[in-house]
């Protein structure tokens, strides 16, 4: 009788799942729980064995669910959820625009009426950044922005301004395009020349250390502790990622041998 009970317990357990041929295994089947009369006929050892088998099968089912989710992430990419939200938002906006056009309204004007000043500035900056490489106009704007930043760094003094104004005539101080002394400039102090040279040296030093900041995706898997470790992990993944993908997935699932 005890041997039959043990065979009943063993027959109810499905074989362990394994990845063969790159295909996902079938979902483990739920165990057949014995009735109260069958449970009473089982020995304490078999009852304990059956409980352990139940826990083992529950772990297999949970492991299979994680395996399916991991396979889905690998096929869709790390930014699938973010892309889905962006796509739904764009579809909703297109739908609202079509409804406004059917009502005879201008979608752009309606958006401008609903947006705040901060939102309008953010949209304008985003458009300017997007059209930086569009043509000469955007290049001129970028040069002008750089010029304004450089002008802010120039030390200004009211005393120097007044002294230069008193030392020159009004026509020389407020020169126009029709001034006869076009192309000529007064003596420049050595301190100004040294400041200009220092600015050029600082600009060259900044260009050496410049590095464009990469976009950060919040839903991306985090396997680093700081920015330096993140870059190092990227280099490792480029070199060995294709060869260690299966080992990494087994460790994350907890099924590594």
């Amino acid at each position: 009788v005890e041997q039959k009970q043990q065979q009943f317990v063993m027959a109810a357990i499905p074989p362990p799942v394994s990845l063969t041929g790159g295909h996902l295994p079938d979902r483990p089947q739920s165990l057949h729980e014995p009735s109260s009369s069958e449970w009473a006929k089982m020995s304490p050892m078999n009852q304990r064995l059956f409980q352990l088998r139940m826990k083992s099968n529950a772990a297999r089912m949970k492991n299979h669910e994680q395996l399916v989710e991991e396979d889905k992430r690998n096929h869709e990419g790390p930014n699938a959820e973010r892309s889905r939200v962006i796509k739904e938002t764009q579809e909703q906006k297109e739908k609202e625009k079509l409804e406004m056009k059917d009502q005879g309204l201008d979608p752009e004007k309606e958006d401008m009426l609903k947006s705040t000043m901060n939102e309008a500035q953010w949209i304008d900056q985003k458009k300017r950044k997007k059209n930086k490489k569009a043509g000469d106009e955007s290049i001129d704007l970028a040069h002008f922005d750089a010029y304004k930043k450089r002008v802010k760094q120039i030390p200004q003094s009211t005393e120097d301004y007044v002294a230069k104004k008193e030392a020159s005539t009004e026509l020389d101080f407020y020169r126009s395009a029709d001034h006869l002394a076009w192309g000529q400039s007064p003596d420049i102090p050595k301190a100004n020349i040294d400041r200009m040279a220092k600015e050029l040296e600082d600009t060259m030093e900044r260009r050496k250390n410049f590095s464009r900041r990469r976009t950060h995706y919040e839903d991306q898997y985090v396997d680093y502790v700081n920015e330096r470790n993140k870059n190092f992990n990227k280099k490792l993944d480029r070199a060995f990622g294709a060869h260690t993908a299966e080992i990494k997935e087994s460790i994350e699932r907890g099924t590594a041998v």
Side-chain angles (χ1 to χ4, degrees):
V1 176
E2 186 174 344
Q3 186 178 3
K4 289 184 177 180
Q5 292 175 353
Q6 191 170 359
Q7 290 176 356
F8 165 75
V9 173
M10 297 297 294
I13 306 303
V17 297
S18 60
L19 285 172
T20 56
H23 299 288
L24 289 175
D26 296 333
R27 187 178 185 274
Q29 300 295 328
S30 301
L31 296 181
H32 171 70
E33 297 186 6
S35 61
S36 57
S37 59
E38 292 174 339
W39 182 262
K41 293 178 182 179
M42 296 170 65
S43 64
M45 184 186 70
N46 285 337
Q47 290 177 358
R48 178 61 178 165
L49 178 62
F50 186 80
Q51 290 175 350
L52 292 175
R53 296 291 182 180
M54 288 282 289
K55 291 180 180 179
S56 177
N57 191 66
R60 283 194 182 95
M61 295 178 69
K62 188 174 181 180
N63 185 23
H64 184 271
E65 292 176 359
Q66 294 179 356
L67 185 64
V68 172
E69 292 178 359
E70 181 181 335
D71 183 72
K72 185 178 179 181
R73 288 197 304 269
N74 292 338
H75 282 81
E76 293 181 351
N79 305 319
E81 183 64 22
R82 182 171 178 270
S83 301
R84 184 183 62 80
V85 173
I86 292 175
K87 184 178 180 182
E88 290 179 356
T89 305
Q90 290 177 349
E91 291 177 353
Q92 182 65 23
K93 288 183 178 180
E94 292 296 330
K95 184 178 179 182
E96 292 177 356
K97 285 182 179 180
L98 291 175
E99 291 177 356
M100 290 180 185
K101 288 181 179 179
D102 293 339
Q103 297 174 5
L105 301 174
D106 188 354
E108 293 185 1
K109 290 183 179 180
E110 293 296 325
D111 289 341
M112 291 174 66
L113 291 173
K114 294 178 182 178
S115 62
T116 62
M117 183 185 69
N118 293 333
E119 290 176 353
Q121 290 178 350
W122 180 79
I123 292 172
D124 182 64
Q125 291 176 0
K126 190 176 179 181
K127 287 182 178 178
R128 288 181 61 182
K129 186 176 180 181
K130 185 177 181 181
N131 298 329
K132 262 189 176 180
K133 298 180 181 179
D136 296 337
E137 182 180 357
S138 60
I139 295 175
D140 292 340
L141 290 173
H143 289 171
F144 183 62
D145 292 339
Y147 168 76
K148 288 191 292 185
K149 289 181 181 179
R150 294 172 63 190
V151 168
K152 287 181 180 179
Q153 297 176 359
I154 298 176
Q156 298 178 4
S157 173
T158 307
E159 291 78 7
D160 294 343
Y161 176 81
V162 173
K164 290 179 182 178
K165 186 175 181 180
E166 292 177 352
S168 59
T169 62
E170 185 176 354
L171 291 177
D172 290 336
F173 192 77
Y174 298 106
R175 288 186 178 184
S176 63
D178 299 329
H179 197 276
L180 297 177
W182 185 85
Q184 301 178 9
S185 61
D187 294 336
I188 300 175
K190 187 177 183 301
N192 293 0
I193 298 176
D194 295 340
R195 186 171 64 243
M196 182 189 68
K198 185 177 182 304
E199 181 196 3
L200 294 175
E201 292 175 356
D202 294 342
T203 303
M204 294 172 64
E205 190 66 27
R206 284 197 304 269
R207 287 177 181 173
K208 290 180 182 178
N209 301 327
F210 175 76
S211 177
R212 181 175 61 85
R213 184 173 179 83
R214 268 59 177 178
T215 306
H216 173 69
Y217 298 104
E218 294 182 356
D219 54 346
Q220 191 174 5
Y221 182 74
V222 177
D223 59 350
Y224 51 88
V225 293
N226 51 36
E227 195 69 20
R228 185 177 179 182
N229 180 239
K230 178 182 178 181
N231 296 331
F232 181 73
N233 289 347
K234 285 183 177 180
K235 294 178 182 178
L236 287 180
D237 188 62
R238 284 197 297 267
F240 308 106
H243 309 288
T244 60
E246 186 175 354
I247 299 174
K248 182 179 178 182
E249 292 170 0
S250 300
I251 293 174
E252 291 174 353
R253 290 195 305 267
T255 58
V257 179

